[in-house]
Amino acid sequence: MKNLLAAAAVATLALSPIAAHADPGGHGQGHKKDKGHQDYRHDNGGAWTPPGLAKKPGGMPPGQYKKLYRQGQRLPSSYVKPSYYVADPSAYRLRTAPAGYRWVQVDNQYYLAQTRTGLISEVVSALIR
């Protein structure tokens, strides 16, 4: 019996350096592997966006994204681009936009905005198609 215990103790001591070199299994930092530089330039017109906002719509905080804008205010530049333009205003019973203006859809709001400045000249809410 003493020989069996001694053999077990020797085996344990012999294998302990191998266990010390094993992968930590996600605990701690382990080996830092360079996964490449992440670029957080998603929906913000190519400008740098903080990592916490990179995957948010428009690269903006949720409270700002859901903000309702009024006539005379300016839409953020992230909304005044072709991905938000209303392609066929007549399908939504909107009048034709004058030169230099476009209808922009944000959620259930439709804004007639100047394409150069984002200045809102008209707001139409919750249209039924």
Side-chain angles (χ1 to χ4, degrees):
M1 186 70 163
K2 285 184 180 179
N3 288 340
L4 184 60
L5 284 173
V10 170
T12 302
L13 289 174
L15 294 177
S16 63
I18 295 171
H21 292 291
D23 188 24
H27 301 292
Q29 296 207 2
H31 297 286
K32 292 186 178 183
K33 295 178 182 173
D34 186 18
K35 295 181 181 177
H37 175 70
Q38 284 188 325
D39 191 7
Y40 295 107
R41 298 169 196 244
H42 291 283
D43 295 330
N44 202 13
W48 184 83
T49 303
L53 301 178
K55 293 183 181 176
K56 303 284 185 202
M60 298 188 320
Q64 289 296 313
Y65 179 71
K66 295 288 186 178
K67 184 176 178 182
L68 301 177
Y69 300 95
R70 293 187 207 99
Q71 185 175 353
Q73 292 182 322
R74 294 184 193 280
L75 282 174
S77 60
S78 59
Y79 290 133
V80 187
K81 56 185 176 181
S83 59
Y84 288 97
Y85 291 166
V86 177
D88 185 13
S90 62
Y92 297 93
R93 297 185 187 140
L94 298 169
R95 66 183 179 90
T96 304
Y101 287 82
R102 291 298 298 247
W103 283 101
V104 177
Q105 180 183 4
V106 181
D107 292 331
N108 286 330
Q109 301 288 321
Y110 295 85
Y111 302 99
L112 182 61
Q114 239 182 11
T115 54
R116 194 172 49 90
T117 64
L119 186 67
I120 300 169
S121 66
E122 193 174 333
V123 179
V124 179
S125 302
L127 291 173
I128 299 173
R129 231 176 132 182

